[in-house]
Amino acid sequence: MTNLTLKQLRYFEALARQRHFGRAAESCAISQPALSMQIKAFEEELGAELFERDRRQVRLTSFGEEIALRTKDILRSVDELEDYARSSRGGLVARLRIGVIPTVAPYLLPGLIADLTGLHDGLDLHVRETLTPKLVQELNEGRLDMAVVALPVSEPSLTEAALFTESFVLVRSREDEGKPAPNREDLHEMRLLLLEEGHCFREQALSFCNKNPRTMHPRDLLDASSLSTLVQMVDAGMGVTLIPEMAVAVETRSASVCVTRFKDPQPSRTIGMVWRKTSPLAKQFAQIAEAVRLSAAARRA
């Protein structure tokens, strides 16, 4: 077996992840026929089929499942080898693949991108927005270098660096403007509009309000996929919601709502950056995180 190529491994990993030839080809920036040809050559070289194909979907065979696990390890090692070569030369990060959670991305990304590109001319920056569990998975698989998340993530394989702490505010109908902030007991009785399951911000809001999702009445279970939708639902008179401080200016400018701060101790979250402890570029990532922290602090001030 002498003809396996790194390109074939990357194409196989993309198809194993996407389970769709079209999407896998698009993620690899090649045509679908070219991808199919490389996958076929890969299977012939290994002497076994890696995928079950039908009109609706692509599935890994049992052999393919095992190859997929090994391929992830190989590709992560190759990426870290490239990073090690760069770090040994004392070079800066030339490519940075960074993930951001959805409740941060629209509000922090413009400044974050300016911070990162300002650190190094010619930085090849790739940004991915998704939920924390997916970001952690992709970090551990070597498909991301760093991620901006709410801390802590409590993942032993990752280093955490805090950037800043921000408060949550209550968003209510404009009719409630001037009224004092409700206490937790009063808030517990209100119809609280939430992000859908999977968002860490949902769990933080429920925790502050002392609400247990398992015991909530169906009338309370009004979920949304974005903070923007939550604020518009409040505007429509459907309930109240909590949003992070950084989202206020963007999300309330076109809604007839009012924003109220809670009394101390206010609900809050800490936003930070995480990366793999084993990355050869861990020292550079720590420097990037510190630079972003200082820049974010100056901007917030």
Side-chain angles (χ1 to χ4, degrees):
M1 193 185 305
T2 59
N3 296 322
L4 292 180
T5 67
L6 186 59
K7 183 178 294 185
Q8 287 174 336
L9 290 174
R10 294 199 184 279
Y11 292 166
F12 165 72
E13 188 276 334
L15 184 56
R17 174 165 36 91
Q18 299 284 356
R19 307 296 173 102
H20 187 277
F21 274 93
R23 290 194 296 270
E26 183 179 356
S27 70
C28 296
I30 62 170
S31 68
Q32 187 170 327
L35 177 73
S36 298
M37 187 185 307
Q38 290 293 331
I39 295 297
K40 183 178 180 181
F42 190 41
E43 289 179 321
E44 290 176 351
E45 188 66 26
L46 293 173
E49 290 190 351
L50 298 168
F51 297 97
E52 297 176 19
R53 303 165 175 85
D54 59 37
R55 292 182 179 179
R56 294 185 177 180
Q57 58 184 333
V58 177
R59 301 186 188 90
L60 284 166
T61 63
S62 57
F63 178 69
E65 293 279 4
E66 181 63 30
I67 294 299
L69 291 174
R70 295 173 183 269
T71 297
K72 286 179 182 178
D73 291 338
I74 292 169
L75 292 177
R76 182 169 59 245
S77 296
V78 169
D79 287 341
E80 290 188 349
L81 184 63
E82 294 173 351
D83 290 342
Y84 177 74
R86 231 177 11 252
S87 67
S88 67
R89 297 193 299 268
L92 296 171
V93 177
R95 179 192 66 175
L96 186 63
R97 302 164 300 173
I98 186 166
V100 189
I101 56 176
T103 56
V104 166
Y107 322 110
L108 188 65
L109 268 183
L112 180 66
I113 291 173
D115 293 341
L116 294 175
T117 54
L119 290 173
H120 176 35
D121 288 338
L123 176 67
D124 182 16
L125 184 63
H126 299 256
V127 179
R128 165 110 161 102
E129 179 187 342
T130 190
L131 301 178
T132 300
K134 189 66 175 175
L135 292 178
V136 171
Q137 177 187 343
E138 294 183 10
L139 277 168
N140 284 326
E141 291 176 354
R143 289 192 278 134
L144 287 175
D145 299 309
M146 305 182 76
V148 178
V149 296
L151 300 180
V153 293
S154 302
E155 179 70 21
S157 62
L158 301 180
T159 295
E160 301 181 2
L163 297 177
F164 58 86
T165 297
E166 64 168 348
S167 299
F168 303 160
V169 297
L170 179 68
V171 180
R172 297 184 286 184
S173 169
R174 181 66 59 81
E175 297 174 356
D176 293 325
E177 192 164 10
K179 293 181 180 180
N183 56 36
R184 291 194 184 196
E185 289 70 26
D186 292 338
L187 196 58
H188 184 77
E189 301 303 321
M190 295 180 177
R191 175 186 277 186
L192 182 65
L193 307 177
L194 301 166
L195 290 175
E196 60 191 0
E197 290 188 11
H199 289 268
C200 56
F201 188 76
R202 172 192 174 94
E203 306 307 319
Q204 293 162 345
L206 285 171
S207 175
F208 173 71
C209 300
N210 291 327
K211 281 183 177 278
N212 184 339
R214 296 181 180 179
T215 61
M216 289 174 67
H217 191 276
R219 70 183 291 276
D220 293 325
L221 299 178
L222 296 174
D223 297 345
S225 61
S226 70
L227 296 177
S228 179
T229 302
L230 287 179
V231 173
Q232 294 304 317
M233 290 166 71
V234 173
D235 190 1
M238 299 180 68
V240 303
T241 194
L242 272 65
I243 65 173
E245 195 173 17
M246 72 167 69
V248 171
V250 172
E251 302 303 350
T252 64
R253 62 190 175 192
S254 61
S256 182
V257 297
C258 66
V259 175
T260 306
R261 289 185 176 275
F262 293 98
K263 295 180 180 179
D264 292 333
Q266 298 182 39
S268 63
R269 66 176 180 176
T270 298
I271 300 301
M273 302 185 85
V274 294
W275 59 89
R276 291 187 308 281
K277 292 178 179 178
T278 58
S279 173
L281 292 172
K283 183 179 293 186
Q284 286 92 328
F285 292 159
Q287 293 170 352
I288 287 173
E290 178 61 14
V292 172
R293 185 189 68 79
L294 292 174
S295 180
R299 190 179 302 112
R300 285 166 58 82

